[in-house]
Amino acid sequence: MALSHGDKCLFVCGILAMMVLLVQRVETGCAHRESPKCCPGRNNDCFELNRRMTICYCDTYCQKTGDCCEDYPTVCHISAIDCVVSSWGSWSECSQLCGAGSKERTRQVITPPRNGGMPCPDLKQRRGCFGQSPVCSTAKEVAKILPHSFKRNFKDPWRRPHMLMKEEKPSSSCIIYPCSVTQPACRMNLWSSHMTREQPVCVECQGDAMGRTNRCEGDGLETTRTFWTAASLPGCQGSWVRERLQEDCRCPEHSFIFV
């Protein structure tokens, strides 16, 4: 059955009206919602369709989930909030007592960014430094060592009875070092062959080896690499980092003493 001219006009007009409604529906958003246009908190009923015909939301929770309608910021009067940070704190101490190290400073976030605001800048800064502690001179000393069998607390058979006794020094202390580096010459002797890489050794600081400061020369510093040499073996030398010091202590056999 053929349609009359009037029927064709009505049919075409109906299609155009549906297209207009569809376009209006597609181009809606928070601005075209019935009251309320914007909803506080989380409200799954507070939605519209965007231009891609997908659901978008007009509640404040959409800022966290990232599914707000395109006109949400303007319609709901949401402005971007930039990140705000505190002032820089003070620089930390140099990471090394002696030699090249690093120090750092930090700052805190006062206001986190929201609604597309500027992100936070760096919260940590680091720069180089050179440790110059008063004890650095100790780290420059080279420890001279001998096997523990060379004990110093022997009696002098040639001492005359009328000679004054030597002033007694403080009791011994033990210092533990994990060896960092050893030279091949150390393998040529039985007592020095035990000083292998990463092998902890005990070195005894006996009274007669102590100086005026009541310490043995070259005993080193914690966290700082120092150097040692075998007093009776040319070429046998290496480095270590002091792990701990124990007062009033004696090292076990097959250990070492400071000279």
Side-chain angles (χ1 to χ4, degrees), residues 152-154 166-170 205-211 259:
R152 290 175 168 270
N153 55 353
F154 57 86
K166 294 175 62 177
E167 180 183 357
E168 293 187 1
K169 297 287 186 178
C205 180
Q206 297 182 347
D208 286 341
M210 293 182 183
V259 178

Side-chain angles (χ1 to χ4, degrees), residues 127-194:
R127 70 181 184 186
C129 59
F130 194 83
Q132 294 180 322
S133 172
V135 299
C136 289
S137 58
T138 304
K140 297 177 183 178
E141 300 172 349
V142 178
K144 294 181 177 63
I145 62 172
L146 282 174
H148 197 262
S149 57
F150 284 75
K151 290 187 177 181
R152 290 175 168 270
N153 55 353
F154 57 86
K155 293 183 179 180
D156 183 0
W158 304 105
R159 182 174 58 83
R160 298 289 188 270
H162 64 275
M163 294 178 62
L164 296 176
M165 294 291 293
K166 294 175 62 177
E167 180 183 357
E168 293 187 1
K169 297 287 186 178
S171 58
S172 300
S173 60
C174 301
I175 307 175
I176 307 300
Y177 304 91
C179 284
S180 301
V181 178
T182 57
Q183 295 298 324
C186 299
R187 305 192 192 105
M188 306 301 294
N189 193 284
L190 180 61
W191 71 267
S192 59
S193 62
H194 298 292

Side-chain angles (χ1 to χ4, degrees), residues 13 17 39 46 60 64 101 103 105 119 138 156 160 205 248 254:
C13 291
C39 310
C46 193
T60 52
K64 294 184 178 180
K103 57 174 58 178
R105 64 178 182 176
T138 304
D156 183 0
R160 298 289 188 270
C205 180
D248 299 326
H254 308 297

Side-chain angles (χ1 to χ4, degrees), residues 227-249:
F227 298 91
W228 59 267
T229 182
S232 60
L233 294 176
C236 179
Q237 56 193 9
S239 65
W240 52 25
V241 178
R242 191 171 85 182
E243 186 175 278
R244 68 181 184 275
L245 183 150
Q246 184 176 347
E247 300 289 350
D248 299 326
C249 170

Side-chain angles (χ1 to χ4, degrees), residues 9-237:
C9 182
L10 291 174
F11 180 74
V12 172
C13 291
I15 293 177
L16 291 174
M18 291 178 62
M19 292 178 63
V20 169
L21 290 174
L22 182 61
V23 170
Q24 289 180 345
R25 181 63 176 175
V26 171
E27 294 183 354
T28 58
C30 300
H32 297 274
R33 272 183 51 80
E34 296 181 0
S35 182
K37 297 182 182 297
C38 306
C39 310
R42 182 173 183 175
N43 188 343
N44 292 337
D45 294 329
C46 193
F47 71 91
E48 270 295 331
L49 296 177
N50 58 22
R51 295 180 181 180
R52 297 179 181 179
M53 290 295 292
T54 57
I55 293 177
C56 60
Y57 292 87
C58 299
D59 58 350
T60 52
Y61 192 77
C62 72
Q63 298 175 81
K64 294 184 178 180
T65 53
D67 51 6
C68 298
C69 295
E70 294 180 1
D71 62 349
Y72 173 79
T74 55
V75 173
C76 300
H77 305 290
I78 301 298
S79 58
I81 299 177
D82 297 335
C83 179
V84 179
V85 296
S86 65
S87 301
W88 286 107
S90 58
W91 287 100
S92 65
E93 297 292 333
C94 191
S95 59
Q96 295 293 333
L97 287 176
C98 310
S102 63
K103 57 174 58 178
E104 63 182 31
R105 64 178 182 176
T106 59
R107 55 185 175 184
Q108 307 298 321
V109 175
I110 298 176
T111 304
R114 292 194 296 270
N115 309 324
M118 291 294 294
C120 295
D122 291 339
L123 301 177
K124 180 182 293 186
Q125 282 186 341
R126 179 175 295 177
R127 70 181 184 186
C129 59
F130 194 83
Q132 294 180 322
S133 172
V135 299
C136 289
S137 58
T138 304
K140 297 177 183 178
E141 300 172 349
V142 178
K144 294 181 177 63
I145 62 172
L146 282 174
H148 197 262
S149 57
F150 284 75
K151 290 187 177 181
R152 290 175 168 270
N153 55 353
F154 57 86
K155 293 183 179 180
D156 183 0
W158 304 105
R159 182 174 58 83
R160 298 289 188 270
H162 64 275
M163 294 178 62
L164 296 176
M165 294 291 293
K166 294 175 62 177
E167 180 183 357
E168 293 187 1
K169 297 287 186 178
S171 58
S172 300
S173 60
C174 301
I175 307 175
I176 307 300
Y177 304 91
C179 284
S180 301
V181 178
T182 57
Q183 295 298 324
C186 299
R187 305 192 192 105
M188 306 301 294
N189 193 284
L190 180 61
W191 71 267
S192 59
S193 62
H194 298 292
M195 303 187 71
T196 57
R197 186 178 180 87
E198 303 303 330
Q199 177 68 31
V201 296
C202 180
V203 186
E204 190 173 307
C205 180
Q206 297 182 347
D208 286 341
M210 293 182 183
R212 295 179 179 179
T213 58
N214 290 330
R215 50 168 289 269
C216 287
E217 183 176 352
D219 55 2
L221 300 171
E222 293 184 9
T223 72
T224 301
R225 189 163 67 105
T226 55
F227 298 91
W228 59 267
T229 182
S232 60
L233 294 176
C236 179
Q237 56 193 9

